Amino acid sequence: MGGMLLQQLKNEEKKIAVIGMGYVGLPIALAFAKHFHVVGFDIDKALIETLHQGKDPREEIQDEEFQNVKIQFTKNEDDLKDISVYIVAVPTPVTKLKSPDLRPLISASKTIGRNLEKGAIVVYESTVYPGCTQEECLPVLEEHSNLRYGDDFHIAYSPERINPGDKVHTLSNTIKIVSGDTSDTLDAVAGLYEVVIEAGVHRAASIKVAEAAKIIENAQRDLNIAFMNEISIIFDLMNINTLDVIEAAGTKWNFLKFYPGLVGGHCIGVDPYYLTYKSEQLGYKPEIILAGRKVNDNLSKHVVNKVLGHLEGNNVAFDQSKILVLGITFKENVSDIRNSKVVDVVQELQHYNIQVDVYDPYVDVNELEKSYHISTVPEIGGGYQAIIAAVKHEEFTTFSEEKLKTLMVENGMLLDIKSMYKNFKGLNYWAL
Ligand SMILES: NC(=O)c1ccc[n+]([C@@H]2O[C@H](COP(=O)([O-])OP(=O)(O)OC[C@H]3O[C@@H](n4cnc5c(N)ncnc54)[C@H](O)[C@@H]3O)[C@@H](O)[C@H]2O)c1
């Protein structure tokens, strides 16, 4: 099956369709399009138009990557013809109540089902809880295709490890986990991904194992950061710099170096809830995973309290004060603002009638306005009571102590969330 599938793709009798042209789907689609015919499908009309111009609106992918590839970007379902492999990379967010929002996944599965042909494999890449692909997506494929699972089509799961903004760990040089519903499916999917993943693939024991592996990669990171955030709150009460402690403890062979920070984005702060949801459904209420989430979700309050304390300590009325926030995206060197915890910091400060100037050279200002009603300043002003250095964008790392000093009033406070300015001893400095 594996050999035949690759042969059909090589002969261009069949194509690969990637559903969802986002941070995950677009890179994988372009990687395959260097070798095979690919259909890149998305429901977002504006996005498809930009992709037609050979541009990635998220600026993760260079324009050259759009050249010499065999790819058709489309929002039209009728283009999903002669597809032997579907790759699903649609969002898997959580609802307001923090349960999995499977609507995009179900909707994508319906689209595939309506167009599914005999012999095809559907590979899910979206992050889900163990069991989701087989329990939730498969029945939708069957229902909407009128094909018989097992006889007519197969399913597979291959989680994504792409790290936007990271130029070191790329799609191609990072081992990719693959899994399939049968050993033939696994062979076929492994063989396919091996064409584009130079680092090779890891064959997981089952689809559930692959789903579980992805979810714990992120849940583990979330917990490790939560521990650092908690000790950072404790050490703040003790007037100890957390980074100094981590550096000292890090000299032991088995100490794990993680750093405190605002945990936002659509992966680390979201995926643990997929695991806890399923666990609770099965009758076990997780304790440490949810405790970690709580600590991380509340960290913005800790930062805001620090600012309020500083203003009160200096007898500055909140509505007379001005704060600069450097960076609002959920992490460094990306434009992504989904679930950014810096947004929480800004909104909480605004709640106290504090003027907050947000400066971020990466963010899409229209999207920020639309999503959170927050505007940015085109240039950094001055006379700030405090500066919150929230995101470690490359531009910010070169700021000098003198520059930050001149931006602030006398005794202004620098809150260095990412410990970018650790050596700025001449400032009223505070780090997480
Ligand atoms: N971005 C990351 O760093 C990353 C890393 C690993 C895994 N993941 C996971 O990969 C999945 C996709 O994430 P992303 O960051 O690429 O999301 P994204 O929001 O960047 O892109 C998803 C795309 O899917 C499209 N879409 C939504 N519903 C659709 C439908 N029914 N049919 C077709 N297209 C549809 C959207 O328009 C959007 O363009 C998620 O499960 C996420 O958790 C993301």
Side-chain angles (χ1 to χ4, degrees):
M1 178 185 182
M4 197 176 86
L5 182 117
L6 275 181
Q7 206 48 55
Q8 284 178 333
L9 288 169
K10 275 185 191 150
N11 297 347
E12 303 187 355
E13 292 159 41
K14 294 281 183 187
K15 301 177 206 164
I16 297 173
V18 181
I19 311 298
M21 291 286 96
Y23 283 94
V24 167
L26 181 60
I28 195 80
L30 286 171
F32 277 123
K34 286 184 188 155
H35 305 271
F36 312 116
H37 263 293
V38 173
V39 178
F41 177 85
D42 203 292
I43 50 171
D44 183 337
K45 187 168 167 249
L47 171 64
I48 292 296
E49 279 165 13
T50 314
L51 295 174
H52 277 149
Q53 292 158 22
K55 296 230 168 294
D56 172 14
R58 299 168 183 100
E59 293 179 4
E60 283 292 316
I61 293 177
Q62 306 290 315
D63 294 358
E64 305 90 81
E65 300 288 317
F66 286 82
Q67 279 148 25
N68 304 318
V69 284
K70 294 171 273 190
I71 191 159
Q72 178 195 10
F73 294 111
T74 183
K75 59 172 181 47
N76 187 352
E77 226 181 284
D78 295 339
D79 293 325
L80 297 173
K81 293 275 174 293
D82 302 323
I83 308 293
S84 60
V85 180
Y86 282 93
I87 295 174
V88 185
V90 296
T92 42
V94 284
T95 63
K96 277 207 166 65
L97 296 175
K98 313 286 189 201
S99 352
D101 177 358
L102 297 179
R103 284 174 301 178
L105 203 56
I106 299 302
S107 152
S109 301
K110 285 182 185 168
T111 306
I112 296 171
R114 286 194 291 270
N115 296 282
L116 200 58
E117 290 170 29
K118 270 194 175 181
I121 299 177
V122 184
V123 188
Y124 286 87
E125 287 217 5
S126 298
T127 306
V128 288
Y129 54 78
C132 182
T133 304
Q134 274 145 319
E135 292 159 16
E136 303 297 331
C137 304
L138 175 57
V140 179
L141 292 174
E142 263 201 314
E143 186 191 336
H144 290 262
S145 64
N146 290 321
L147 294 179
R148 279 168 61 119
Y149 168 61
D151 294 335
D152 298 332
F153 72 95
H154 286 271
I155 57 168
Y157 183 78
S158 177
E160 187 49 64
R161 286 170 165 164
I162 205 156
N163 189 20
D166 184 344
K167 307 279 179 254
V168 178
H169 306 101
T170 63
L171 176 68
S172 161
N173 73 19
T174 304
I175 293 176
K176 195 153 175 31
I177 295 176
V178 291
S179 65
D181 56 3
T182 65
S183 57
D184 279 353
T185 310
L186 179 58
D187 280 347
V189 173
L192 181 65
Y193 279 100
E194 272 164 351
V195 174
V196 292
I197 309 290
E198 271 173 38
V201 298
H202 171 85
R203 293 161 182 247
S206 67
I207 290 180
K208 261 189 175 178
V209 166
E211 292 169 323
K214 170 68 196 178
I215 214 95
I216 67 152
E217 283 170 26
N218 283 348
Q220 183 188 64
R221 192 164 165 73
D222 192 43
L223 264 178
N224 280 316
I225 299 172
F227 174 66
M228 292 303 169
N229 281 338
E230 186 153 74
I231 61 156
S232 159
I233 294 170
I234 299 170
F235 291 159
D236 187 40
L237 297 169
M238 300 173 173
N239 283 324
I240 304 173
N241 179 287
T242 306
L243 196 68
D244 288 342
V245 181
I246 295 171
E247 270 171 20
T251 56
K252 193 184 175 202
W253 67 90
N254 59 0
F255 182 83
L256 301 175
K257 277 193 182 182
F258 282 87
Y259 297 93
L262 295 162
V263 181
H266 44 282
C267 288
I268 297 178
V270 169
D271 298 349
Y273 288 123
Y274 273 68
L275 185 57
T276 57
Y277 163 85
K278 188 65 187 175
S279 173
E280 279 180 40
Q281 264 201 341
L282 296 171
Y284 175 75
K285 188 169 166 48
E287 298 198 18
I288 58 165
I289 305 173
L290 287 172
R293 279 282 68 243
K294 198 168 154 194
V295 170
N296 285 345
D297 267 352
N298 284 332
L299 201 75
S300 53
K301 289 199 173 63
H302 179 56
V303 175
V304 169
N305 285 339
K306 218 62 213 171
V307 175
L308 299 181
H310 169 71
L311 295 175
E312 281 168 348
N314 285 276
N315 292 320
V316 186
F318 295 160
D319 59 1
Q320 298 298 310
S321 59
K322 204 163 77 160
I323 308 288
L324 173 67
V325 173
L326 291 173
I328 192 153
T329 60
F330 93 86
K331 70 171 197 178
E332 64 277 7
N333 305 328
V334 298
S335 59
D336 199 343
I337 48 170
R338 285 177 293 175
N339 302 324
S340 167
K341 291 289 147 193
V342 190
V343 166
D344 293 2
V345 172
V346 172
Q347 286 175 336
E348 282 171 48
L349 289 171
Q350 285 174 337
H351 177 76
Y352 288 95
N353 289 324
I354 295 171
Q355 180 185 327
V356 186
D357 283 5
V358 176
Y359 179 74
D360 191 319
Y362 281 81
V363 80
D364 178 334
V365 288
N366 295 326
E367 205 187 322
L368 185 68
E369 180 66 51
K370 204 171 95 196
S371 310
Y372 301 112
H373 308 293
I374 293 176
S375 48
T376 56
V377 290
E379 274 172 28
I380 297 173
Y384 296 110
Q385 265 76 31
I387 297 177
I388 304 175
V391 184
K392 198 175 178 179
H393 287 322
E394 231 167 84
E395 285 84 333
F396 300 157
T397 59
T398 57
F399 283 6
S400 67
E401 182 170 347
E402 197 47 39
K403 178 181 169 95
L404 293 177
K405 196 171 184 174
T406 54
L407 294 175
M408 290 192 281
V409 296
E410 185 85 27
N411 198 33
M413 182 182 190
L414 174 63
L415 295 100
D416 192 7
I417 306 301
K418 302 294 291 183
S419 290
M420 276 187 279
Y421 308 118
K422 190 173 181 302
N423 300 319
F424 291 5
K425 305 261 188 275
L427 299 177
N428 177 6
Y429 179 87
W430 178 84
L432 254 188

